[in-house]
Amino acid sequence: MKQIFFTPGPAQLYPSVARHLKIGLEENIFSISHRSQKFKDIYEGTVEGLIKLLKIPDDYKIVFVASATEAMERLIENIVEKKSFHFVNGSFGKRWQEIAVELKRETCVIEIPFGEGFKDVPEIPKDTELICFTHNETSSGVALNTEFIYKIGKANPKALLAVDTVSSAPYIDIDFKRIDAVFFSVQKLFGLPAGLGVMILSPKAIEKATKLQKKGLNIGSYHNLPSLVDWAEKNQTIETPSVLHIYLLGKVLEDMNKKDIKKIREELDERAKLIYDFFDNNTNFKPFVKNKKDRSQTVIVITLGDKTEEIKAKLEEKGLIVGGGYGPFKNTQIRIANFPAVGDKDISVLINEFKKF
Amino acid sequence: MKQIFFTPGPAQLYPSVARHLKIGLEENIFSISHRSQKFKDIYEGTVEGLIKLLKIPDDYKIVFVASATEAMERLIENIVEKKSFHFVNGSFGKRWQEIAVELKRETCVIEIPFGEGFKDVPEIPKDTELICFTHNETSSGVALNTEFIYKIGKANPKALLAVDTVSSAPYIDIDFKRIDAVFFSVQKLFGLPAGLGVMILSPKAIEKATKLQKKGLNIGSYHNLPSLVDWAEKNQTIETPSVLHIYLLGKVLEDMNKKDIKKIREELDERAKLIYDFFDNNTNFKPFVKNKKDRSQTVIVITLGDKTEEIKAKLEEKGLIVGGGYGPFKNTQIRIANFPAVGDKDISVLINEFKKF
């Protein structure tokens, strides 16, 4: 039976992925040396695809890691000597703070309930080195306003800013010049198999890591930022990377750039509106995030209460796989990913099924 | 044109990989949740495949990381508070030691020339916490005798032993009970696309990491050994892993177990003999490693001198891709991978081509 994954990652594969994988196999891409010119060309193409799609400034560096979780660790290791500040409104923001604690850094946190956005601008200690934001909380379906992030940055010019855009890139239209580190993984909106993280770094972020390194501090080894950047300049990675993921990402970026990012964003906006409108007007099931301004356009959380398991099972019988709620909401909510791999028709089919419940 | 990769990683894909990938796509394996029962079953199957193929003791733990390079880093971070000892006879042993230095550990090293094996048993400082061996130097084509490793272990009962088997697993028949950490990556003898590392840990290795953690030391965050092991017990990983790699590895392990490890090892021995015999009897081109006891059976290095580039190009015209020499030997040597994905016929074709030079 045909299945459509509305799950927020791993997610529905982008429609061209199967074709790209087939061609990659035929052309022996997954056997070539990661030091060959052919690989360097693939790497360069992927980086160029990212620069074009996301409008990344010339002086920013793009590096590959294994996951967004690794990106969280490397950023703390490399940018924070002592103190980080964390905006926490869900499980992934919390995880990032916990990583900083495990790495023996001092953390300050503003934490608000699951499903809510930040209203107040908190006072941030003057010696904070890195302020960490989760742009789109995959756990709760709350997205931050980029203007809010910029405002915090402006009020704290000495601190660097890092933004987790795991489940919002490339939907989020971010002004990189105001941010020092942005990261995401490829199994969300890019519709790839999981296994690759992408970090985009400002000159100031790299400078800070180099400064800590020169001070003799331990900023990690093969994946410290200076090492990552040095190898990226050569269109390579220090370790043997997942050539498959870098290749597939490059191909999907070509497809997305052909379609144009404006069109992709418009489509996602339209589909999000369809979904939210339906549930706002539904008497039984409501969007979890009450305040419309806080709602994510890419991960839509619906409270189904007692009916959750039953509805999930009925949808699955029709080949429609939705995500469960996160953590404590596992059995009372579902999460619907509004990612580019899911089409207008798929959304209509899902909504029509919901009309029956 | 059909190509055969005799390169030592990324390498020729195991013959069934394309089929497994196709089925994985058809069954939507790369979209399923990494918290689902389906994923846990896949994970468990892969672990069981490893236990069976490699005869891993019941009380040892198997965990997944992104690469062998990551394994090197995590082992130093988690097992070495102060001092590690490194057997270096090539680029990968050297890299491991450099990682320990970058992580601010004190390292002791015995370093011998490229292409040679260790003859003497060095005196190892009594406060050494981890002794690091590269079983098979992918850079130089030298393999250590496992008895040599066991002897060092016996003479230093307080230190833990870690062995890099990147380009020898599962050919190497290792007695896990005498080793505390063994790791490899999947793009070598397992014939998979690059992007996954496997670590096998003794109870003592995990105990040491837990002890350092309890002392309040920084042993890393999401991928520290206690965290890796905790999640492995649940047949999961803390981060979203490369489901694709864990799935493919499980499938190739099924194939290898069906074939039987004894048969795989015998075939590799026979093919290694064919290659070494040919070059030992060749007047122009000789194996780089002179001492037969030091020779790797899985990565065979041949000195071609001035002819290297010309011969590599001529072989490539026939679809035969051999690896270049490593580092300073890039333009004077080739490396021939004798991995399970390369068949008897492929070896004959390669040797027949060499008869023309």
Side-chain angles (χ1 to χ4, degrees), chain A residues 87-103:
Chain A
F87 282 81
V88 175
N89 66 330
S91 306
F92 292 95
K94 189 76 193 162
R95 159 104 51 98
W96 201 353
Q97 185 233 338
E98 284 165 358
I99 283 176
V101 171
E102 287 184 298
L103 297 173

Side-chain angles (χ1 to χ4, degrees), chain A residues 1-3 5 7 9-13 17-18 21 25 27-28 30-35 66-67 69-70 73-74 77 95 98-99 102-105 187-188 192-195 213 216-224 227 238-245, chain B residues 1-3 5 7 9-13 17-18 21 25 27-28 30-35 66-67 69-70 73-74 77 95 98-99 102-105 187-188 192-195 213 216-224 227 238-245:
Chain A
M1 184 181 51
K2 198 194 158 196
Q3 289 180 310
F5 285 78
T7 47
Q12 181 71 21
L13 296 185
V17 164
L21 255 183
L25 280 168
E27 295 186 353
N28 295 317
F30 316 134
S31 295
I32 63 170
S33 166
H34 57 298
R35 302 282 173 246
S67 64
T69 312
E70 184 181 359
E73 182 184 73
R74 300 306 180 189
E77 268 181 346
R95 159 104 51 98
E98 284 165 358
I99 283 176
E102 287 184 298
L103 297 173
K104 309 297 169 191
R105 268 62 170 187
Q187 77 274 15
K188 310 280 184 183
L192 294 187
Q213 189 178 43
L217 300 176
N218 174 1
I219 59 167
S221 66
Y222 74 115
H223 268 187
N224 66 49
S227 165
I238 184 167
E239 83 286 16
T240 314
S242 181
V243 176
L244 180 145
H245 280 98
Chain B
M1 186 181 49
K2 198 195 159 196
Q3 289 180 310
F5 285 78
T7 48
Q12 181 73 21
L13 295 186
V17 164
L21 254 184
L25 279 168
E27 295 186 353
N28 296 316
F30 315 133
S31 294
I32 63 169
S33 166
H34 57 297
R35 301 284 173 243
S67 64
T69 313
E70 184 181 359
E73 183 184 73
R74 301 305 180 190
E77 269 181 344
R95 159 102 53 96
E98 285 166 356
I99 283 175
E102 287 184 298
L103 297 174
K104 308 298 169 192
R105 268 63 169 187
Q187 76 275 14
K188 309 280 184 183
L192 293 187
Q213 189 178 44
L217 300 175
N218 174 2
I219 58 167
S221 66
Y222 74 115
H223 269 187
N224 64 50
S227 165
I238 184 167
E239 83 284 17
T240 313
S242 181
V243 177
L244 180 145
H245 281 97

Side-chain angles (χ1 to χ4, degrees), chain B residues 102-249:
Chain B
E102 287 184 298
L103 297 174
K104 308 298 169 192
R105 268 63 169 187
E106 188 187 325
T107 64
C108 294
V109 184
I110 174 170
E111 188 167 358
I112 57 168
F114 223 80
E116 292 185 16
F118 296 96
K119 279 161 207 82
D120 308 321
V121 173
E123 197 158 327
I124 291 174
K126 291 217 178 337
D127 55 348
T128 297
E129 297 162 85
L130 187 70
I131 308 177
C132 301
F133 300 90
T134 308
H135 171 254
N136 197 73
E137 249 304 344
T138 320
S139 60
S140 69
V142 170
L144 305 188
N145 190 315
T146 47
E147 292 301 329
F148 174 79
I149 298 174
Y150 303 153
K151 193 159 86 180
I152 303 285
K154 218 171 168 184
N156 299 276
K158 280 193 175 168
L160 302 193
L161 262 57
V163 184
D164 167 349
T165 64
V166 164
S167 55
S168 55
Y171 171 77
I172 176 181
D173 188 3
I174 202 162
D175 180 0
F176 283 93
K177 285 287 183 192
R178 304 196 203 196
I179 311 289
D180 298 290
V182 174
F183 63 88
F184 55 84
S185 46
V186 298
Q187 76 275 14
K188 309 280 184 183
L189 275 75
F190 291 93
L192 293 187
L196 188 72
V198 178
M199 279 204 284
I200 298 149
L201 303 164
S202 78
K204 272 165 76 184
I206 299 159
E207 200 180 286
K208 176 71 189 281
T210 307
K211 192 181 136 196
L212 296 187
Q213 189 178 44
K214 281 190 181 152
K215 270 180 95 170
L217 300 175
N218 174 2
I219 58 167
S221 66
Y222 74 115
H223 269 187
N224 64 50
L225 300 195
S227 165
L228 282 166
V229 169
D230 276 356
W231 283 89
E233 303 271 359
K234 299 181 271 189
N235 290 317
Q236 292 173 67
T237 57
I238 184 167
E239 83 284 17
T240 313
S242 181
V243 177
L244 180 145
H245 281 97
I246 294 172
Y247 171 80
L248 283 185
L249 177 58

Side-chain angles (χ1 to χ4, degrees), chain B residues 54-89:
Chain B
L54 301 174
K55 295 185 184 49
I56 299 169
D58 282 349
D59 55 345
Y60 277 53
K61 302 294 176 195
I62 300 167
V63 299
F64 297 111
V65 290
S67 64
T69 313
E70 184 181 359
M72 291 177 180
E73 183 184 73
R74 301 305 180 190
L75 289 173
I76 300 293
E77 269 181 344
N78 279 264
I79 295 182
V80 183
E81 182 178 354
K82 289 182 183 139
K83 196 181 280 185
S84 56
F85 189 97
H86 300 261
F87 283 81
V88 175
N89 66 330

